[in-house]
Amino acid sequence: MADWRTRSLWLSRGPYEPAPPLDGDLDVDVVIVGGGFTGLWTAIHLKQADPSVDVAVLEQCVAGYGASGRNGGFAMTMVGRNLHDLVRKVGPARARATRLAMRGTLREMGAFVRDEGIDAHLTRPGLLTVSNGPEQDERIRQDLEASQRLGLDDLRYLSGPECRALVAGERIRCGHFEEEALLLDPAALTRGLRDAAVRLGVRVFESTPVHALGLPGTHVLARTPGGDVRADRALLATNAYAHAVPALRRWLFTIVASIIVTEPLTGEQWKRAGWAGGAGVEDKRIMPHFHRPTPDGRILWGGRDAPFAPSGPDPRQDRSPHVFRRLEETFRWTFPQLDDVRIDRGWCGPVAGTVNCFAHAGRLGRGRRVVYALGYAGHGVGPSHLTAKIARDLLLDRESELLDLPMAAKRPVPLPPGPLRGLVLNGSQRVLQRADDGDRGPLTGLALRFLQ
Ligand SMILES: Cc1cc2nc3c(=O)[nH]c(=O)nc-3n(C[C@H](O)[C@H](O)[C@H](O)COP(=O)(O)OP(=O)(O)OC[C@H]3O[C@@H](n4cnc5c(N)ncnc54)[C@H](O)[C@@H]3O)c2cc1C
């Protein structure tokens, strides 16, 4: 994994000195497996709650090697697919509580980054969600209605011309705008979180893969090539890599998400893009596209195809020329006025999905010693901060109202076993893709209603 810098544009940049691997045995209160957003935020929340808790983070490669160093850098209030869907799945009271908690979380993230002096290029230009077709108009309407019904009023309707005043996509029909959303450089944030955790007294070991996690007697034992870590409690914050754990694989699946970026645009090309204010933009396909300006003046374009990886994460899936080509097609379709802008590169990353489309945090195995927090699919940058607080409360055995949020209170929905698993996952993805590609046939419609 020495080539971690090639895994995304974000990871390729800046000087970074990985922490040394674990060398010898260690005794701690809490061992955290995984140095992405979930693992690092949990370490920080634990230390902030109780500075005397001894915490170690074990990361198989470098902090941010997983999805946290490869994503689009949109930190949104959204938990799950969208607000309308969340209400349907968890009811209005929990959906409202989740949304309010997420609004608080984004503000806390912003304050933490500022107070710790983390140079993560964090901005708050808002999120513009747009419709490019009649079905998408309907989804815009449903979210606005859900926001109003819950008394949130945090989404503002924008007509086509109002949207196009923010970004010059001539096919945009209407949209909604949310002010709370942040844009950031995800690898810079992960690295900054690692350093902040270390300043709080957390011990971080990189290049330290955990080969086995056992429960011998009254403690947890994490085995690594350089030594064993004995702990009172453990957190599995390994996202898609949790595929290796059969009990989690029952309800967790791996999908591979992709991004392409252009070369830096000239001032004149930015004028043609008509991107006043630099908001993050997402469309309302079922498997949406998202795009944003990067701090060095490129357009980042991602989403759409997200194939299942039946055997879990595999570095060979970190590049997919076929998916990059399809992404470029929709980039060109959206911005015909930028036909002279070249695509510079693309990358992919594994994420863990769940049937509920939001992450779950809970306890695993006998006793209360092993906690997991994972399964955000493509919406984890913001939600990982909140889910990490739930993980903290589970690890510290603290009663808290956060445990009533869906991530902790809703049980994960199991997938069918054996060969049926692949059939269901591949079949559902084909249905979603066909619906997004405009198939209005009765079979696709029926299957879509069933899935939803
Ligand atoms: C291309 C792409 C675009 C995305 N865009 C967005 C976006 O714009 N907004 C958004 O909200 N979300 C987005 N996401 C999703 C988001 O990145 C994830 O939900 C989030 O980063 C999950 O963080 P995590 O810490 O749970 O997992 P990860 O970042 O995957 O961290 C897990 C870590 O565990 C480590 N690990 C695994 N196994 C072991 C082991 N045995 N021993 C030690 N360490 C181990 C891995 O190396 C990894 O660093 C995107 C994801 C991708 C891939």
PDB file of all heavy atoms in Angstrom, residues 33-38 58-60 65-68 70-74 208-210 237-239 241 257 259 349 351 376-381, ligand 1:
ATOM      1  N   VAL A  33     -10.061   0.424  15.454  1.00  0.00           N
ATOM      2  CA  VAL A  33      -9.509  -0.139  14.219  1.00  0.00           C
ATOM      3  C   VAL A  33     -10.038   0.700  13.058  1.00  0.00           C
ATOM      4  O   VAL A  33     -11.246   0.733  12.810  1.00  0.00           O
ATOM      5  CB  VAL A  33      -9.914  -1.617  14.038  1.00  0.00           C
ATOM      6  CG1 VAL A  33      -9.169  -2.217  12.840  1.00  0.00           C
ATOM      7  CG2 VAL A  33      -9.638  -2.408  15.299  1.00  0.00           C
ATOM      8  N   GLY A  34      -9.138   1.396  12.349  1.00  0.00           N
ATOM      9  CA  GLY A  34      -9.540   2.223  11.210  1.00  0.00           C
ATOM     10  C   GLY A  34      -9.261   3.692  11.457  1.00  0.00           C
ATOM     11  O   GLY A  34      -9.786   4.278  12.407  1.00  0.00           O
ATOM     12  N   GLY A  35      -8.436   4.278  10.599  1.00  0.00           N
ATOM     13  CA  GLY A  35      -8.069   5.692  10.748  1.00  0.00           C
ATOM     14  C   GLY A  35      -8.707   6.555   9.681  1.00  0.00           C
ATOM     15  O   GLY A  35      -8.041   7.324   8.991  1.00  0.00           O
ATOM     16  N   GLY A  36     -10.036   6.411   9.522  1.00  0.00           N
ATOM     17  CA  GLY A  36     -10.802   7.326   8.665  1.00  0.00           C
ATOM     18  C   GLY A  36     -11.547   8.300   9.567  1.00  0.00           C
ATOM     19  O   GLY A  36     -11.243   8.431  10.762  1.00  0.00           O
ATOM     20  N   PHE A  37     -12.550   8.990   8.992  1.00  0.00           N
ATOM     21  CA  PHE A  37     -13.306   9.968   9.791  1.00  0.00           C
ATOM     22  C   PHE A  37     -13.915   9.329  11.038  1.00  0.00           C
ATOM     23  O   PHE A  37     -13.847   9.890  12.127  1.00  0.00           O
ATOM     24  CB  PHE A  37     -14.450  10.570   8.961  1.00  0.00           C
ATOM     25  CG  PHE A  37     -14.003  11.476   7.849  1.00  0.00           C
ATOM     26  CD1 PHE A  37     -14.684  11.494   6.638  1.00  0.00           C
ATOM     27  CD2 PHE A  37     -12.925  12.327   7.997  1.00  0.00           C
ATOM     28  CE1 PHE A  37     -14.296  12.330   5.607  1.00  0.00           C
ATOM     29  CE2 PHE A  37     -12.520  13.176   6.973  1.00  0.00           C
ATOM     30  CZ  PHE A  37     -13.218  13.171   5.770  1.00  0.00           C
ATOM     31  N   THR A  38     -14.537   8.144  10.874  1.00  0.00           N
ATOM     32  CA  THR A  38     -15.245   7.546  12.014  1.00  0.00           C
ATOM     33  C   THR A  38     -14.283   7.236  13.152  1.00  0.00           C
ATOM     34  O   THR A  38     -14.540   7.576  14.316  1.00  0.00           O
ATOM     35  CB  THR A  38     -15.964   6.246  11.575  1.00  0.00           C
ATOM     36  OG1 THR A  38     -16.830   6.563  10.486  1.00  0.00           O
ATOM     37  CG2 THR A  38     -16.776   5.645  12.704  1.00  0.00           C
ATOM     38  N   LEU A  58      -5.502   2.155  15.296  1.00  0.00           N
ATOM     39  CA  LEU A  58      -4.655   1.318  14.442  1.00  0.00           C
ATOM     40  C   LEU A  58      -5.165   1.426  13.010  1.00  0.00           C
ATOM     41  O   LEU A  58      -6.323   1.105  12.731  1.00  0.00           O
ATOM     42  CB  LEU A  58      -4.717  -0.147  14.894  1.00  0.00           C
ATOM     43  CG  LEU A  58      -4.487  -0.414  16.390  1.00  0.00           C
ATOM     44  CD1 LEU A  58      -4.599  -1.912  16.672  1.00  0.00           C
ATOM     45  CD2 LEU A  58      -3.127   0.114  16.835  1.00  0.00           C
ATOM     46  N   GLU A  59      -4.323   1.910  12.114  1.00  0.00           N
ATOM     47  CA  GLU A  59      -4.719   2.092  10.709  1.00  0.00           C
ATOM     48  C   GLU A  59      -3.815   1.220   9.835  1.00  0.00           C
ATOM     49  O   GLU A  59      -2.597   1.303   9.936  1.00  0.00           O
ATOM     50  CB  GLU A  59      -4.609   3.578  10.338  1.00  0.00           C
ATOM     51  CG  GLU A  59      -4.598   3.872   8.847  1.00  0.00           C
ATOM     52  CD  GLU A  59      -5.787   3.313   8.055  1.00  0.00           C
ATOM     53  OE1 GLU A  59      -6.928   3.460   8.492  1.00  0.00           O
ATOM     54  OE2 GLU A  59      -5.530   2.704   6.985  1.00  0.00           O
ATOM     55  N   GLN A  60      -4.449   0.445   8.953  1.00  0.00           N
ATOM     56  CA  GLN A  60      -3.659  -0.503   8.154  1.00  0.00           C
ATOM     57  C   GLN A  60      -2.691   0.181   7.187  1.00  0.00           C
ATOM     58  O   GLN A  60      -1.646  -0.364   6.860  1.00  0.00           O
ATOM     59  CB  GLN A  60      -4.577  -1.437   7.370  1.00  0.00           C
ATOM     60  CG  GLN A  60      -5.448  -0.722   6.350  1.00  0.00           C
ATOM     61  CD  GLN A  60      -6.262  -1.677   5.481  1.00  0.00           C
ATOM     62  OE1 GLN A  60      -6.030  -2.873   5.500  1.00  0.00           O
ATOM     63  NE2 GLN A  60      -7.207  -1.162   4.727  1.00  0.00           N
ATOM     64  N   TYR A  65      -6.733   6.592   4.027  1.00  0.00           N
ATOM     65  CA  TYR A  65      -6.502   5.675   2.898  1.00  0.00           C
ATOM     66  C   TYR A  65      -7.832   5.168   2.329  1.00  0.00           C
ATOM     67  O   TYR A  65      -7.978   4.944   1.135  1.00  0.00           O
ATOM     68  CB  TYR A  65      -5.650   4.486   3.347  1.00  0.00           C
ATOM     69  CG  TYR A  65      -5.517   3.435   2.270  1.00  0.00           C
ATOM     70  CD1 TYR A  65      -4.681   3.646   1.175  1.00  0.00           C
ATOM     71  CD2 TYR A  65      -6.254   2.244   2.324  1.00  0.00           C
ATOM     72  CE1 TYR A  65      -4.573   2.697   0.164  1.00  0.00           C
ATOM     73  CE2 TYR A  65      -6.149   1.293   1.321  1.00  0.00           C
ATOM     74  CZ  TYR A  65      -5.313   1.520   0.240  1.00  0.00           C
ATOM     75  OH  TYR A  65      -5.212   0.586  -0.756  1.00  0.00           O
ATOM     76  N   GLY A  66      -8.828   4.994   3.178  1.00  0.00           N
ATOM     77  CA  GLY A  66     -10.140   4.497   2.729  1.00  0.00           C
ATOM     78  C   GLY A  66     -10.947   5.622   2.097  1.00  0.00           C
ATOM     79  O   GLY A  66     -10.393   6.572   1.524  1.00  0.00           O
ATOM     80  N   ALA A  67     -12.263   5.536   2.224  1.00  0.00           N
ATOM     81  CA  ALA A  67     -13.141   6.519   1.579  1.00  0.00           C
ATOM     82  C   ALA A  67     -12.878   7.937   2.083  1.00  0.00           C
ATOM     83  O   ALA A  67     -13.073   8.911   1.353  1.00  0.00           O
ATOM     84  CB  ALA A  67     -14.594   6.127   1.832  1.00  0.00           C
ATOM     85  N   SER A  68     -12.388   8.065   3.335  1.00  0.00           N
ATOM     86  CA  SER A  68     -12.239   9.409   3.911  1.00  0.00           C
ATOM     87  C   SER A  68     -11.231  10.272   3.160  1.00  0.00           C
ATOM     88  O   SER A  68     -11.332  11.494   3.188  1.00  0.00           O
ATOM     89  CB  SER A  68     -11.849   9.310   5.390  1.00  0.00           C
ATOM     90  OG  SER A  68     -12.867   8.661   6.105  1.00  0.00           O
ATOM     91  N   ARG A  70     -10.775   9.996  -0.135  1.00  0.00           N
ATOM     92  CA  ARG A  70     -11.047   9.895  -1.578  1.00  0.00           C
ATOM     93  C   ARG A  70     -12.377  10.522  -1.979  1.00  0.00           C
ATOM     94  O   ARG A  70     -12.771  10.451  -3.145  1.00  0.00           O
ATOM     95  CB  ARG A  70     -11.111   8.419  -1.990  1.00  0.00           C
ATOM     96  CG  ARG A  70      -9.939   7.597  -1.532  1.00  0.00           C
ATOM     97  CD  ARG A  70     -10.019   6.208  -2.123  1.00  0.00           C
ATOM     98  NE  ARG A  70      -9.132   5.278  -1.446  1.00  0.00           N
ATOM     99  CZ  ARG A  70      -8.837   4.079  -1.898  1.00  0.00           C
ATOM    100  NH1 ARG A  70      -9.370   3.659  -3.023  1.00  0.00           N
ATOM    101  NH2 ARG A  70      -8.029   3.294  -1.221  1.00  0.00           N
ATOM    102  N   ASN A  71     -13.127  11.073  -1.025  1.00  0.00           N
ATOM    103  CA  ASN A  71     -14.505  11.457  -1.355  1.00  0.00           C
ATOM    104  C   ASN A  71     -14.593  12.847  -1.982  1.00  0.00           C
ATOM    105  O   ASN A  71     -13.588  13.516  -2.209  1.00  0.00           O
ATOM    106  CB  ASN A  71     -15.393  11.341  -0.106  1.00  0.00           C
ATOM    107  CG  ASN A  71     -14.905  12.218   1.008  1.00  0.00           C
ATOM    108  OD1 ASN A  71     -14.958  13.434   0.906  1.00  0.00           O
ATOM    109  ND2 ASN A  71     -14.397  11.611   2.073  1.00  0.00           N
ATOM    110  N   GLY A  72     -15.845  13.272  -2.221  1.00  0.00           N
ATOM    111  CA  GLY A  72     -16.059  14.560  -2.876  1.00  0.00           C
ATOM    112  C   GLY A  72     -15.900  15.751  -1.948  1.00  0.00           C
ATOM    113  O   GLY A  72     -15.869  16.890  -2.406  1.00  0.00           O
ATOM    114  N   GLY A  73     -15.860  15.489  -0.640  1.00  0.00           N
ATOM    115  CA  GLY A  73     -15.687  16.583   0.314  1.00  0.00           C
ATOM    116  C   GLY A  73     -16.949  17.384   0.572  1.00  0.00           C
ATOM    117  O   GLY A  73     -16.894  18.519   1.029  1.00  0.00           O
ATOM    118  N   PHE A  74     -18.134  16.783   0.299  1.00  0.00           N
ATOM    119  CA  PHE A  74     -19.410  17.425   0.634  1.00  0.00           C
ATOM    120  C   PHE A  74     -19.788  16.979   2.047  1.00  0.00           C
ATOM    121  O   PHE A  74     -20.001  15.780   2.265  1.00  0.00           O
ATOM    122  CB  PHE A  74     -20.546  16.940  -0.269  1.00  0.00           C
ATOM    123  CG  PHE A  74     -20.508  17.419  -1.690  1.00  0.00           C
ATOM    124  CD1 PHE A  74     -19.469  17.085  -2.532  1.00  0.00           C
ATOM    125  CD2 PHE A  74     -21.551  18.187  -2.194  1.00  0.00           C
ATOM    126  CE1 PHE A  74     -19.454  17.508  -3.855  1.00  0.00           C
ATOM    127  CE2 PHE A  74     -21.548  18.615  -3.510  1.00  0.00           C
ATOM    128  CZ  PHE A  74     -20.498  18.280  -4.343  1.00  0.00           C
ATOM    129  N   THR A 208      -0.414  -0.327  10.249  1.00  0.00           N
ATOM    130  CA  THR A 208      -0.642  -1.312  11.314  1.00  0.00           C
ATOM    131  C   THR A 208      -1.969  -2.041  11.083  1.00  0.00           C
ATOM    132  O   THR A 208      -3.005  -1.669  11.652  1.00  0.00           O
ATOM    133  CB  THR A 208      -0.632  -0.598  12.696  1.00  0.00           C
ATOM    134  OG1 THR A 208       0.629   0.063  12.852  1.00  0.00           O
ATOM    135  CG2 THR A 208      -0.830  -1.576  13.837  1.00  0.00           C
ATOM    136  N   PRO A 209      -1.965  -3.053  10.204  1.00  0.00           N
ATOM    137  CA  PRO A 209      -3.212  -3.791   9.958  1.00  0.00           C
ATOM    138  C   PRO A 209      -3.572  -4.704  11.126  1.00  0.00           C
ATOM    139  O   PRO A 209      -2.693  -5.364  11.680  1.00  0.00           O
ATOM    140  CB  PRO A 209      -2.880  -4.624   8.707  1.00  0.00           C
ATOM    141  CG  PRO A 209      -1.389  -4.744   8.695  1.00  0.00           C
ATOM    142  CD  PRO A 209      -0.840  -3.526   9.380  1.00  0.00           C
ATOM    143  N   VAL A 210      -4.837  -4.714  11.476  1.00  0.00           N
ATOM    144  CA  VAL A 210      -5.307  -5.650  12.511  1.00  0.00           C
ATOM    145  C   VAL A 210      -5.721  -6.934  11.801  1.00  0.00           C
ATOM    146  O   VAL A 210      -6.616  -6.920  10.957  1.00  0.00           O
ATOM    147  CB  VAL A 210      -6.491  -5.039  13.293  1.00  0.00           C
ATOM    148  CG1 VAL A 210      -7.092  -6.063  14.244  1.00  0.00           C
ATOM    149  CG2 VAL A 210      -6.022  -3.809  14.053  1.00  0.00           C
ATOM    150  N   ALA A 237     -14.076   0.601  13.033  1.00  0.00           N
ATOM    151  CA  ALA A 237     -14.414   1.768  12.198  1.00  0.00           C
ATOM    152  C   ALA A 237     -13.799   1.534  10.827  1.00  0.00           C
ATOM    153  O   ALA A 237     -13.107   2.389  10.287  1.00  0.00           O
ATOM    154  CB  ALA A 237     -13.872   3.039  12.842  1.00  0.00           C
ATOM    155  N   THR A 238     -14.057   0.358  10.282  1.00  0.00           N
ATOM    156  CA  THR A 238     -13.371  -0.052   9.051  1.00  0.00           C
ATOM    157  C   THR A 238     -14.265   0.044   7.818  1.00  0.00           C
ATOM    158  O   THR A 238     -13.881  -0.438   6.748  1.00  0.00           O
ATOM    159  CB  THR A 238     -12.837  -1.493   9.190  1.00  0.00           C
ATOM    160  OG1 THR A 238     -13.913  -2.330   9.622  1.00  0.00           O
ATOM    161  CG2 THR A 238     -11.711  -1.568  10.191  1.00  0.00           C
ATOM    162  N   ASN A 239     -15.454   0.622   7.955  1.00  0.00           N
ATOM    163  CA  ASN A 239     -16.299   0.910   6.798  1.00  0.00           C
ATOM    164  C   ASN A 239     -16.396  -0.316   5.884  1.00  0.00           C
ATOM    165  O   ASN A 239     -16.681  -1.411   6.358  1.00  0.00           O
ATOM    166  CB  ASN A 239     -15.720   2.145   6.080  1.00  0.00           C
ATOM    167  CG  ASN A 239     -16.644   2.746   5.042  1.00  0.00           C
ATOM    168  OD1 ASN A 239     -17.852   2.605   5.131  1.00  0.00           O
ATOM    169  ND2 ASN A 239     -16.089   3.410   4.054  1.00  0.00           N
ATOM    170  N   TYR A 241     -14.316  -2.239   4.656  1.00  0.00           N
ATOM    171  CA  TYR A 241     -13.379  -3.333   4.971  1.00  0.00           C
ATOM    172  C   TYR A 241     -13.975  -4.272   6.026  1.00  0.00           C
ATOM    173  O   TYR A 241     -13.440  -5.347   6.271  1.00  0.00           O
ATOM    174  CB  TYR A 241     -12.039  -2.767   5.448  1.00  0.00           C
ATOM    175  CG  TYR A 241     -11.419  -1.824   4.433  1.00  0.00           C
ATOM    176  CD1 TYR A 241     -11.782  -0.478   4.387  1.00  0.00           C
ATOM    177  CD2 TYR A 241     -10.502  -2.290   3.501  1.00  0.00           C
ATOM    178  CE1 TYR A 241     -11.243   0.385   3.446  1.00  0.00           C
ATOM    179  CE2 TYR A 241      -9.952  -1.433   2.557  1.00  0.00           C
ATOM    180  CZ  TYR A 241     -10.322  -0.096   2.537  1.00  0.00           C
ATOM    181  OH  TYR A 241      -9.785   0.750   1.597  1.00  0.00           O
ATOM    182  N   ALA A 257     -17.470   3.747  -5.344  1.00  0.00           N
ATOM    183  CA  ALA A 257     -17.881   5.074  -5.822  1.00  0.00           C
ATOM    184  C   ALA A 257     -16.729   5.713  -6.600  1.00  0.00           C
ATOM    185  O   ALA A 257     -15.560   5.416  -6.334  1.00  0.00           O
ATOM    186  CB  ALA A 257     -18.258   5.955  -4.643  1.00  0.00           C
ATOM    187  N   ILE A 259     -14.984   9.201  -8.959  1.00  0.00           N
ATOM    188  CA  ILE A 259     -14.872  10.656  -9.157  1.00  0.00           C
ATOM    189  C   ILE A 259     -13.927  10.910 -10.323  1.00  0.00           C
ATOM    190  O   ILE A 259     -12.943  10.180 -10.496  1.00  0.00           O
ATOM    191  CB  ILE A 259     -14.301  11.304  -7.864  1.00  0.00           C
ATOM    192  CG1 ILE A 259     -15.410  11.455  -6.822  1.00  0.00           C
ATOM    193  CG2 ILE A 259     -13.628  12.648  -8.146  1.00  0.00           C
ATOM    194  CD1 ILE A 259     -14.942  11.994  -5.483  1.00  0.00           C
ATOM    195  N   GLY A 349     -13.286   4.507  -4.845  1.00  0.00           N
ATOM    196  CA  GLY A 349     -13.065   4.111  -3.452  1.00  0.00           C
ATOM    197  C   GLY A 349     -14.213   3.259  -2.958  1.00  0.00           C
ATOM    198  O   GLY A 349     -15.356   3.429  -3.400  1.00  0.00           O
ATOM    199  N   VAL A 351     -17.073   1.973  -0.452  1.00  0.00           N
ATOM    200  CA  VAL A 351     -17.895   2.423   0.679  1.00  0.00           C
ATOM    201  C   VAL A 351     -18.823   1.282   1.089  1.00  0.00           C
ATOM    202  O   VAL A 351     -19.131   0.408   0.286  1.00  0.00           O
ATOM    203  CB  VAL A 351     -18.732   3.686   0.346  1.00  0.00           C
ATOM    204  CG1 VAL A 351     -17.851   4.876   0.072  1.00  0.00           C
ATOM    205  CG2 VAL A 351     -19.670   3.455  -0.817  1.00  0.00           C
ATOM    206  N   TYR A 376     -22.250   4.221   5.786  1.00  0.00           N
ATOM    207  CA  TYR A 376     -22.817   5.513   5.359  1.00  0.00           C
ATOM    208  C   TYR A 376     -23.114   5.577   3.865  1.00  0.00           C
ATOM    209  O   TYR A 376     -23.639   6.582   3.391  1.00  0.00           O
ATOM    210  CB  TYR A 376     -21.834   6.653   5.636  1.00  0.00           C
ATOM    211  CG  TYR A 376     -21.246   6.675   7.014  1.00  0.00           C
ATOM    212  CD1 TYR A 376     -20.077   5.980   7.313  1.00  0.00           C
ATOM    213  CD2 TYR A 376     -21.854   7.410   8.025  1.00  0.00           C
ATOM    214  CE1 TYR A 376     -19.531   6.016   8.578  1.00  0.00           C
ATOM    215  CE2 TYR A 376     -21.310   7.452   9.293  1.00  0.00           C
ATOM    216  CZ  TYR A 376     -20.150   6.746   9.566  1.00  0.00           C
ATOM    217  OH  TYR A 376     -19.607   6.782  10.817  1.00  0.00           O
ATOM    218  N   ALA A 377     -22.692   4.575   3.106  1.00  0.00           N
ATOM    219  CA  ALA A 377     -22.720   4.649   1.634  1.00  0.00           C
ATOM    220  C   ALA A 377     -22.035   5.944   1.200  1.00  0.00           C
ATOM    221  O   ALA A 377     -20.963   6.263   1.699  1.00  0.00           O
ATOM    222  CB  ALA A 377     -24.135   4.520   1.115  1.00  0.00           C
ATOM    223  N   GLY A 378     -22.674   6.732   0.338  1.00  0.00           N
ATOM    224  CA  GLY A 378     -22.004   7.932  -0.182  1.00  0.00           C
ATOM    225  C   GLY A 378     -22.216   9.180   0.646  1.00  0.00           C
ATOM    226  O   GLY A 378     -21.910  10.285   0.199  1.00  0.00           O
ATOM    227  N   HIS A 379     -22.747   9.042   1.872  1.00  0.00           N
ATOM    228  CA  HIS A 379     -23.022  10.221   2.699  1.00  0.00           C
ATOM    229  C   HIS A 379     -22.413  10.062   4.082  1.00  0.00           C
ATOM    230  O   HIS A 379     -23.134   9.870   5.063  1.00  0.00           O
ATOM    231  CB  HIS A 379     -24.542  10.430   2.841  1.00  0.00           C
ATOM    232  CG  HIS A 379     -25.188  10.891   1.579  1.00  0.00           C
ATOM    233  ND1 HIS A 379     -26.463  10.536   1.218  1.00  0.00           N
ATOM    234  CD2 HIS A 379     -24.727  11.673   0.580  1.00  0.00           C
ATOM    235  CE1 HIS A 379     -26.757  11.083   0.053  1.00  0.00           C
ATOM    236  NE2 HIS A 379     -25.722  11.779  -0.355  1.00  0.00           N
ATOM    237  N   GLY A 380     -21.082  10.145   4.166  1.00  0.00           N
ATOM    238  CA  GLY A 380     -20.458   9.901   5.467  1.00  0.00           C
ATOM    239  C   GLY A 380     -19.605  11.038   6.002  1.00  0.00           C
ATOM    240  O   GLY A 380     -19.183  10.995   7.156  1.00  0.00           O
ATOM    241  N   VAL A 381     -19.333  12.054   5.178  1.00  0.00           N
ATOM    242  CA  VAL A 381     -18.387  13.082   5.626  1.00  0.00           C
ATOM    243  C   VAL A 381     -18.945  13.799   6.859  1.00  0.00           C
ATOM    244  O   VAL A 381     -18.270  13.902   7.889  1.00  0.00           O
ATOM    245  CB  VAL A 381     -18.072  14.085   4.488  1.00  0.00           C
ATOM    246  CG1 VAL A 381     -17.157  15.193   4.987  1.00  0.00           C
ATOM    247  CG2 VAL A 381     -17.431  13.360   3.303  1.00  0.00           C
TER     248      VAL A 381
HETATM  249  C1  LIG B   1     -15.469   8.396  -4.431  1.00  0.00           C
HETATM  250  C2  LIG B   1     -16.219   8.708  -3.153  1.00  0.00           C
HETATM  251  C3  LIG B   1     -16.931   9.908  -3.040  1.00  0.00           C
HETATM  252  C4  LIG B   1     -17.623  10.196  -1.856  1.00  0.00           C
HETATM  253  N1  LIG B   1     -18.169  11.440  -1.705  1.00  0.00           N
HETATM  254  C5  LIG B   1     -18.753  11.778  -0.530  1.00  0.00           C
HETATM  255  C6  LIG B   1     -19.180  13.110  -0.300  1.00  0.00           C
HETATM  256  O1  LIG B   1     -18.927  14.023  -1.085  1.00  0.00           O
HETATM  257  N2  LIG B   1     -19.858  13.369   0.856  1.00  0.00           N
HETATM  258  C7  LIG B   1     -20.085  12.400   1.786  1.00  0.00           C
HETATM  259  O2  LIG B   1     -20.726  12.688   2.797  1.00  0.00           O
HETATM  260  N3  LIG B   1     -19.586  11.146   1.634  1.00  0.00           N
HETATM  261  C8  LIG B   1     -18.913  10.816   0.515  1.00  0.00           C
HETATM  262  N4  LIG B   1     -18.378   9.566   0.368  1.00  0.00           N
HETATM  263  C9  LIG B   1     -18.496   8.609   1.497  1.00  0.00           C
HETATM  264  C10 LIG B   1     -17.518   8.954   2.629  1.00  0.00           C
HETATM  265  O3  LIG B   1     -16.236   9.128   2.102  1.00  0.00           O
HETATM  266  C11 LIG B   1     -17.494   7.815   3.665  1.00  0.00           C
HETATM  267  O4  LIG B   1     -18.808   7.586   4.117  1.00  0.00           O
HETATM  268  C12 LIG B   1     -16.644   8.143   4.880  1.00  0.00           C
HETATM  269  O5  LIG B   1     -15.367   8.562   4.497  1.00  0.00           O
HETATM  270  C13 LIG B   1     -16.542   6.910   5.787  1.00  0.00           C
HETATM  271  O6  LIG B   1     -15.533   7.118   6.737  1.00  0.00           O
HETATM  272  P1  LIG B   1     -15.034   5.892   7.631  1.00  0.00           P
HETATM  273  O7  LIG B   1     -13.999   6.402   8.544  1.00  0.00           O
HETATM  274  O8  LIG B   1     -16.215   5.215   8.229  1.00  0.00           O
HETATM  275  O9  LIG B   1     -14.426   4.864   6.591  1.00  0.00           O
HETATM  276  P2  LIG B   1     -13.024   4.867   5.802  1.00  0.00           P
HETATM  277  O10 LIG B   1     -12.600   6.225   5.464  1.00  0.00           O
HETATM  278  O11 LIG B   1     -13.165   3.895   4.686  1.00  0.00           O
HETATM  279  O12 LIG B   1     -12.004   4.335   6.875  1.00  0.00           O
HETATM  280  C14 LIG B   1     -11.835   2.988   7.194  1.00  0.00           C
HETATM  281  C15 LIG B   1     -10.359   2.805   7.506  1.00  0.00           C
HETATM  282  O13 LIG B   1     -10.151   1.531   8.087  1.00  0.00           O
HETATM  283  C16 LIG B   1      -8.883   1.074   7.664  1.00  0.00           C
HETATM  284  N5  LIG B   1      -8.855  -0.376   7.860  1.00  0.00           N
HETATM  285  C17 LIG B   1      -9.611  -1.301   7.239  1.00  0.00           C
HETATM  286  N6  LIG B   1      -9.335  -2.533   7.684  1.00  0.00           N
HETATM  287  C18 LIG B   1      -8.372  -2.396   8.631  1.00  0.00           C
HETATM  288  C19 LIG B   1      -7.663  -3.311   9.457  1.00  0.00           C
HETATM  289  N7  LIG B   1      -7.894  -4.621   9.408  1.00  0.00           N
HETATM  290  N8  LIG B   1      -6.734  -2.828  10.313  1.00  0.00           N
HETATM  291  C20 LIG B   1      -6.495  -1.487  10.393  1.00  0.00           C
HETATM  292  N9  LIG B   1      -7.133  -0.587   9.622  1.00  0.00           N
HETATM  293  C21 LIG B   1      -8.066  -1.020   8.752  1.00  0.00           C
HETATM  294  C22 LIG B   1      -8.834   1.495   6.200  1.00  0.00           C
HETATM  295  O14 LIG B   1      -7.524   1.520   5.683  1.00  0.00           O
HETATM  296  C23 LIG B   1      -9.485   2.868   6.255  1.00  0.00           C
HETATM  297  O15 LIG B   1      -8.538   3.904   6.391  1.00  0.00           O
HETATM  298  C24 LIG B   1     -17.662   9.241  -0.789  1.00  0.00           C
HETATM  299  C25 LIG B   1     -16.936   8.050  -0.901  1.00  0.00           C
HETATM  300  C26 LIG B   1     -16.202   7.790  -2.060  1.00  0.00           C
HETATM  301  C27 LIG B   1     -15.384   6.521  -2.142  1.00  0.00           C
END
